[in-house]
Amino acid sequence: MALTTHPPLRLHARPPALAGDFHHRRRLPPLRGLPSRRAHLRPCRCTGADADAGKEQAQARRAYPYNEIEPRWQAHWEERHTFHTPDIGDGLDTSRPKCYILDMFPYPSGAGLHVGHPLGYTATDILSRFKRMQGFNVLHPMGWDAFGLPAEQYAIQTGTHPKITTARNIDRFRTQLKSLGFSYDWDREISTTEPTYYKWTQWIFLQLLKRGLAYQAEVPVNWCPALGTVLANEEVIDGVSERGGYPVIRKPMRQWMLRITSYADRLLEDLDDLDWPESIKEMQRNWIGRSEGAELEFCAVDQEGHDLDAKLTVYTTRPDTIFGATYLVVAPEHVSLPSLTSEGQRVHVEEYTEVATRKSELERTELQKEKTGVFSGSYAKNPVTGEIIPIWVADYVLASYGTGAIMAVPAHDSRDHEFALKYKLPIIKVVSPPNGNCDPEEAYAGDGIMINSSNSSSGLNINGMLSQDAALKVTDWVENNGFGKKKVNYKLRDWLFARQRYWGEPFPLIYLDDTNEMVPLSENELPLTLPELDEFTPTGTGEPPLTKATDWVKTTDLLTGKPATRETSTMPQWAGSCWYYLRFMDPKNSSTLVDKAKESYWGPVDIYVGGAEHSVLHLLYARFWHKVLYDIGVVSTKEPFKCLINQGLILGEVEYTAYRDNEGRWVSADSESSLIDCHQEKVSADKITKVGDHYVLKDDPDIRLNARAYKMSKSRGNVINPDDVVSEYGADSLRLYEMFMGPLRDSKTWSTGGIEGVHRFLGRTWRLVVGPPLPDGSYKDGTMATDNEPTFEQLRVLHKCIARVSEEIQETRFNTAISAMMEFVNAAYKWDTQPKSVIDSFVLLLAPFAPHLAEELWFRLGHSQSLAYEQFPEAKDEYLKESEVVLPVQINGKTRGTILVDKECSEDDVFQKAASDEKLSKYLSGKGIKKRIYVPGRILNVILDQQKART
């Protein structure tokens, strides 16, 4: 058998360009000067017998020498900038199609990566490598979302400047990502904390300010007295601070806001054209919460009906139910509440309001929570009935939605119904279901026929009308009589854009000391850099930590020379992540945010991959900023992200829990007795076995266990460090396993046994191409591939694999693509020879998934350049057609077996093959044939002559 060995490496070798004008390869220098395969072995700290034993154990686990291969190729890619994407005007061929593939860039925490992080990164890397090999210009960058609360809290706890810890964390993340072989263009790396980057974040803020989209307002914020600072909504959980668990209250403060509500309709309408998961689009629709209804005015009165000279405006989506309004509810923060509160109720209302301010909005609007409230002491007059109804205060109504007040219709709203029952308020049914069937004990919230809905004094009668028609008539009536108007409303609120924090982008603003007039900085004064601070603790007064930087805070207006004071709040972490995808297109530009030609070529992002937890806020904020930039001509597309993919979670390994009673005896998890008093005990996987769909103790199969996988967290101790996996199995094994675990979008459970399986597959692939190890454990140079012409069957196996892998990558079904390659390797092991042309093509198929191994095999197969820009194999139809079929054979209408025949086989040939088949021949040998029924490719039915058979 002829072996392929390394040819001499030619210094200026260039492989031929890809066929056709459409394809064009990146011109890269040939591989030369590769270090020894032993150069990157990790040093062993053991000596003597221990060292030898450790080496033997490591080699036993190692299916191929990944520890030599992977560092060598990572160094090669970095040294040659293999994945650098040239700029327009600097070698980029813009006649080729582009593909911009982006990960949601990470926050570089001190904990580093866990194995859940590389799931999405591996998927985008496979797609990027695949598209490059298809002839696309690929933009695949990486950067860091590095401002924000965690770094500042760590600085407060340790006294270490957040700039130092952020840089250290970025270095760790970068090292880990490079160790996994991701093909990022590191020349485009950015960080939101760099002044050259946040200069343009500040510039965007100034554009928002110019257009009236940034403003200041007195708004309720989350104030934590113990921490002495304002917290973002996401930093408050169940009414206490996420860090420290301190009580948080709501209190009004003057804050910077962004008018995202001005773009609500466009944010809704443009969702329809996006290639996003429908569930994510629906989440955004619900978050925006567009509704059509009416604003109605109720006159406030006292108990005797005397006018209090105040009006209460409510918003409702069901004006048709106004005859069923039996009370009003205002939010605890409603601006008119003090004037609506009677002296007799003032103490109760103030006590209730204080308690309500400690609750988060999520807690207040939770449907399952018990409704609470207090009577204000005042009343209102229903404009259509003239009836006097009470005004209550309840925390299930938010000041930030609608007008902060509602008309309560308990017969037709579940929350109002629950509240009315608790406080014994009237319930009047005004809508009858179309079929007349409804539970009298529950609220009916649907449409129907109006009843109990007329008043002779007001002249309004909607009885018998359909709900939709009645709503229009009521709206017309209140508009004509001065009691309200038609109104479109949104749940979406303007974006609270300020944080009383240090580690964030400074606002490019000053306030003149003599008039307190706000003056924006001129664009040539940007960036306004963050001052150095040694003390980051909150002031305790609500003033931001930047107030401590007195030399920075006190400044002068350059235009007038007047003394001025800088804004001391900083922007939220969301700011930098709103537009980073644009900066990757042009990261070094100091004169503009992004060059128009570069944005026009690369935009929008073609594939955006990240966790579903960012599907509302980050994506909504980024879409808002993008639309503003579109309106002012910075970008050429209406939307930033064309296709969105949410990868699933990787859960920790399954944990098995057993139970013991107080006397130490095992109790089965499906026991009819209570497990509450039992002691839980974790059981290792080697002590359990699976029976049917549940797990039991090996030593006592009657004892069933609970088996569950949990989200990885330090508190559970189930975090898997990718560094450990790479050390033991190699980066390619980790990449391959995370893709093989299941569909990309599904949650999956980590299993060490699973990664061992894909590691063995890569070892089999290595030995298929390179051959078995030598007695000393090393491998010879070259490969087992031969110059033989491949057989038709070998080409058929190859092209079936090519077709399947290509389709599965396109559809992001990476697990089934890997299965197809496993099937190829199984088939190839049965061949007498491995033709080089076939093995070459297979290595190219493997390259997006296991790039280190593929590069090494490609080099050993005699190629002098990286395969990163080789043409991805294309399946040929001539090898995909199935020439043979499995044909069922029936004897007298009963299937007796099958035979493998050519599709074009004649009836006689088919019958002869059936007659010679070992299993079928006993039914046909010596028997008289009355008739043969043959449907080509479908069935052969032989009807025996029963009379001849008897004679």
Short mmCIF file of all heavy atoms in Angstrom, two decimals, residues 415-445:
data_model
loop_
_atom_site.label_atom_id
_atom_site.label_comp_id
_atom_site.label_asym_id
_atom_site.label_seq_id
_atom_site.Cartn_x
_atom_site.Cartn_y
_atom_site.Cartn_z
N ARG A 415 -58.58 40.25 37.93
CA ARG A 415 -57.95 40.94 39.06
C ARG A 415 -58.97 41.80 39.81
O ARG A 415 -59.00 41.80 41.04
CB ARG A 415 -56.78 41.80 38.56
CG ARG A 415 -55.62 41.00 37.98
CD ARG A 415 -54.46 41.91 37.61
NE ARG A 415 -54.90 42.99 36.73
CZ ARG A 415 -54.13 44.03 36.38
NH1 ARG A 415 -52.90 44.11 36.84
NH2 ARG A 415 -54.58 44.96 35.57
N ASP A 416 -59.79 42.52 39.04
CA ASP A 416 -60.84 43.33 39.67
C ASP A 416 -61.82 42.45 40.43
O ASP A 416 -62.31 42.82 41.52
CB ASP A 416 -61.59 44.15 38.62
CG ASP A 416 -60.70 45.15 37.90
OD1 ASP A 416 -59.59 45.43 38.41
OD2 ASP A 416 -61.10 45.65 36.83
N HIS A 417 -62.12 41.30 39.86
CA HIS A 417 -63.07 40.37 40.47
C HIS A 417 -62.55 39.87 41.83
O HIS A 417 -63.28 39.85 42.84
CB HIS A 417 -63.31 39.19 39.53
CG HIS A 417 -64.39 38.26 39.97
ND1 HIS A 417 -64.13 37.11 40.70
CD2 HIS A 417 -65.74 38.30 39.79
CE1 HIS A 417 -65.27 36.48 40.95
NE2 HIS A 417 -66.26 37.17 40.40
N GLU A 418 -61.26 39.49 41.83
CA GLU A 418 -60.66 39.01 43.07
C GLU A 418 -60.65 40.12 44.12
O GLU A 418 -60.94 39.89 45.30
CB GLU A 418 -59.23 38.55 42.78
CG GLU A 418 -58.49 37.99 43.99
CD GLU A 418 -57.05 37.61 43.68
OE1 GLU A 418 -56.73 37.44 42.48
OE2 GLU A 418 -56.26 37.51 44.63
N PHE A 419 -60.33 41.33 43.69
CA PHE A 419 -60.28 42.47 44.60
C PHE A 419 -61.67 42.78 45.16
O PHE A 419 -61.84 43.03 46.36
CB PHE A 419 -59.72 43.69 43.85
CG PHE A 419 -59.35 44.85 44.72
CD1 PHE A 419 -58.08 44.96 45.25
CD2 PHE A 419 -60.27 45.85 45.00
CE1 PHE A 419 -57.73 46.05 46.05
CE2 PHE A 419 -59.93 46.94 45.79
CZ PHE A 419 -58.65 47.03 46.32
N ALA A 420 -62.68 42.76 44.27
CA ALA A 420 -64.06 43.08 44.69
C ALA A 420 -64.57 42.07 45.69
O ALA A 420 -65.25 42.42 46.68
CB ALA A 420 -64.97 43.14 43.47
N LEU A 421 -64.27 40.79 45.48
CA LEU A 421 -64.71 39.76 46.42
C LEU A 421 -64.06 39.97 47.78
O LEU A 421 -64.71 39.85 48.83
CB LEU A 421 -64.37 38.37 45.89
CG LEU A 421 -65.18 37.86 44.69
CD1 LEU A 421 -64.66 36.50 44.24
CD2 LEU A 421 -66.66 37.75 45.07
N LYS A 422 -62.77 40.30 47.78
CA LYS A 422 -62.06 40.46 49.05
C LYS A 422 -62.60 41.64 49.84
O LYS A 422 -62.76 41.55 51.07
CB LYS A 422 -60.56 40.65 48.76
CG LYS A 422 -59.73 40.83 50.03
CD LYS A 422 -58.24 40.85 49.74
CE LYS A 422 -57.44 41.02 51.02
NZ LYS A 422 -55.98 40.99 50.79
N TYR A 423 -62.92 42.74 49.16
CA TYR A 423 -63.35 43.95 49.87
C TYR A 423 -64.86 44.22 49.75
O TYR A 423 -65.32 45.31 50.05
CB TYR A 423 -62.54 45.15 49.36
CG TYR A 423 -61.08 45.04 49.73
CD1 TYR A 423 -60.13 44.69 48.77
CD2 TYR A 423 -60.65 45.25 51.03
CE1 TYR A 423 -58.79 44.56 49.11
CE2 TYR A 423 -59.31 45.13 51.37
CZ TYR A 423 -58.37 44.78 50.41
OH TYR A 423 -57.05 44.65 50.75
N LYS A 424 -65.60 43.17 49.29
CA LYS A 424 -67.07 43.22 49.25
C LYS A 424 -67.60 44.43 48.48
O LYS A 424 -68.46 45.20 48.94
CB LYS A 424 -67.64 43.22 50.68
CG LYS A 424 -67.29 41.95 51.47
CD LYS A 424 -67.86 41.98 52.87
CE LYS A 424 -67.66 40.65 53.57
NZ LYS A 424 -66.25 40.22 53.63
N LEU A 425 -67.06 44.58 47.26
CA LEU A 425 -67.48 45.67 46.37
C LEU A 425 -68.47 45.12 45.34
O LEU A 425 -68.45 43.93 45.02
CB LEU A 425 -66.25 46.26 45.66
CG LEU A 425 -65.26 46.95 46.62
CD1 LEU A 425 -63.93 47.23 45.93
CD2 LEU A 425 -65.85 48.24 47.16
N PRO A 426 -69.36 45.94 44.80
CA PRO A 426 -70.40 45.45 43.89
C PRO A 426 -69.82 44.85 42.61
O PRO A 426 -68.79 45.30 42.10
CB PRO A 426 -71.22 46.71 43.57
CG PRO A 426 -70.89 47.67 44.67
CD PRO A 426 -69.50 47.38 45.09
N ILE A 427 -70.52 43.84 42.10
CA ILE A 427 -70.14 43.19 40.84
C ILE A 427 -71.37 43.21 39.93
O ILE A 427 -72.40 42.59 40.26
CB ILE A 427 -69.66 41.74 41.07
CG1 ILE A 427 -68.43 41.74 42.00
CG2 ILE A 427 -69.34 41.06 39.75
CD1 ILE A 427 -67.97 40.34 42.41
N ILE A 428 -71.28 43.92 38.80
CA ILE A 428 -72.41 44.05 37.88
C ILE A 428 -72.03 43.47 36.52
O ILE A 428 -71.09 43.93 35.87
CB ILE A 428 -72.82 45.53 37.70
CG1 ILE A 428 -73.22 46.13 39.05
CG2 ILE A 428 -73.96 45.67 36.69
CD1 ILE A 428 -73.49 47.63 38.99
N LYS A 429 -72.78 42.47 36.10
CA LYS A 429 -72.50 41.82 34.82
C LYS A 429 -73.09 42.65 33.68
O LYS A 429 -74.28 42.98 33.70
CB LYS A 429 -73.11 40.42 34.83
CG LYS A 429 -72.86 39.63 33.56
CD LYS A 429 -73.48 38.24 33.67
CE LYS A 429 -73.28 37.45 32.39
NZ LYS A 429 -73.93 36.11 32.46
N VAL A 430 -72.24 42.99 32.68
CA VAL A 430 -72.74 43.81 31.56
C VAL A 430 -72.44 43.18 30.20
O VAL A 430 -72.83 43.73 29.17
CB VAL A 430 -72.14 45.23 31.61
CG1 VAL A 430 -72.63 45.99 32.83
CG2 VAL A 430 -70.61 45.19 31.56
N VAL A 431 -71.74 42.03 30.18
CA VAL A 431 -71.45 41.33 28.92
C VAL A 431 -71.89 39.89 29.07
O VAL A 431 -71.49 39.21 30.02
CB VAL A 431 -69.95 41.38 28.55
CG1 VAL A 431 -69.72 40.69 27.20
CG2 VAL A 431 -69.44 42.82 28.49
N SER A 432 -72.72 39.44 28.12
CA SER A 432 -73.17 38.05 28.12
C SER A 432 -72.44 37.31 27.00
O SER A 432 -72.38 37.80 25.87
CB SER A 432 -74.68 37.97 27.88
OG SER A 432 -75.10 36.62 27.82
N PRO A 433 -71.84 36.15 27.30
CA PRO A 433 -71.14 35.40 26.25
C PRO A 433 -72.08 35.08 25.08
O PRO A 433 -73.29 34.91 25.29
CB PRO A 433 -70.70 34.11 26.96
CG PRO A 433 -70.71 34.46 28.41
CD PRO A 433 -71.80 35.47 28.60
N PRO A 434 -71.54 34.98 23.86
CA PRO A 434 -72.39 34.70 22.70
C PRO A 434 -73.23 33.44 22.85
O PRO A 434 -74.38 33.38 22.42
CB PRO A 434 -71.38 34.56 21.55
CG PRO A 434 -70.19 35.34 22.01
CD PRO A 434 -70.14 35.18 23.49
N ASN A 435 -72.66 32.41 23.51
CA ASN A 435 -73.41 31.16 23.70
C ASN A 435 -74.17 31.14 25.02
O ASN A 435 -74.84 30.16 25.34
CB ASN A 435 -72.47 29.95 23.62
CG ASN A 435 -71.36 30.02 24.65
OD1 ASN A 435 -71.39 30.85 25.57
ND2 ASN A 435 -70.37 29.14 24.50
N GLY A 436 -74.04 32.18 25.79
CA GLY A 436 -74.77 32.29 27.06
C GLY A 436 -74.18 31.50 28.19
O GLY A 436 -74.69 31.55 29.31
N ASN A 437 -73.08 30.76 27.93
CA ASN A 437 -72.50 29.91 28.97
C ASN A 437 -71.29 30.58 29.61
O ASN A 437 -70.34 30.95 28.92
CB ASN A 437 -72.05 28.56 28.37
CG ASN A 437 -73.23 27.77 27.84
OD1 ASN A 437 -74.32 27.81 28.42
ND2 ASN A 437 -73.03 27.06 26.73
N CYS A 438 -71.32 30.75 30.91
CA CYS A 438 -70.15 31.23 31.65
C CYS A 438 -70.32 30.88 33.12
O CYS A 438 -71.44 30.69 33.59
CB CYS A 438 -69.94 32.73 31.47
SG CYS A 438 -71.17 33.77 32.27
N ASP A 439 -69.20 30.79 33.81
CA ASP A 439 -69.21 30.45 35.22
C ASP A 439 -69.62 31.68 36.02
O ASP A 439 -68.90 32.70 36.01
CB ASP A 439 -67.82 29.97 35.64
CG ASP A 439 -67.79 29.42 37.06
OD1 ASP A 439 -68.74 29.71 37.83
OD2 ASP A 439 -66.82 28.72 37.40
N PRO A 440 -70.76 31.62 36.74
CA PRO A 440 -71.20 32.82 37.49
C PRO A 440 -70.25 33.20 38.62
O PRO A 440 -70.30 34.31 39.13
CB PRO A 440 -72.57 32.39 38.04
CG PRO A 440 -72.53 30.89 38.05
CD PRO A 440 -71.68 30.49 36.89
N GLU A 441 -69.37 32.25 39.01
CA GLU A 441 -68.43 32.53 40.10
C GLU A 441 -67.12 33.14 39.60
O GLU A 441 -66.25 33.48 40.40
CB GLU A 441 -68.12 31.23 40.87
CG GLU A 441 -69.34 30.54 41.45
CD GLU A 441 -70.07 31.43 42.45
OE1 GLU A 441 -69.37 32.12 43.22
OE2 GLU A 441 -71.31 31.43 42.45
N GLU A 442 -66.95 33.25 38.28
CA GLU A 442 -65.71 33.76 37.70
C GLU A 442 -66.00 34.99 36.86
O GLU A 442 -67.13 35.22 36.42
CB GLU A 442 -65.03 32.68 36.83
CG GLU A 442 -64.67 31.41 37.57
CD GLU A 442 -63.53 31.60 38.54
OE1 GLU A 442 -62.75 32.57 38.35
OE2 GLU A 442 -63.39 30.81 39.50
N ALA A 443 -64.94 35.77 36.60
CA ALA A 443 -65.06 36.93 35.71
C ALA A 443 -65.05 36.44 34.27
O ALA A 443 -64.28 35.55 33.91
CB ALA A 443 -63.92 37.90 35.94
N TYR A 444 -65.92 37.02 33.44
CA TYR A 444 -65.92 36.69 32.01
C TYR A 444 -65.24 37.84 31.27
O TYR A 444 -65.75 38.96 31.24
CB TYR A 444 -67.35 36.50 31.49
CG TYR A 444 -67.39 36.34 29.98
CD1 TYR A 444 -66.86 35.21 29.36
CD2 TYR A 444 -67.93 37.34 29.17
CE1 TYR A 444 -66.87 35.07 27.98
CE2 TYR A 444 -67.94 37.22 27.79
CZ TYR A 444 -67.41 36.08 27.20
OH TYR A 444 -67.41 35.96 25.83
N ALA A 445 -64.06 37.58 30.68
CA ALA A 445 -63.26 38.64 30.07
C ALA A 445 -63.41 38.73 28.56
O ALA A 445 -62.79 39.60 27.93
CB ALA A 445 -61.78 38.43 30.43
#
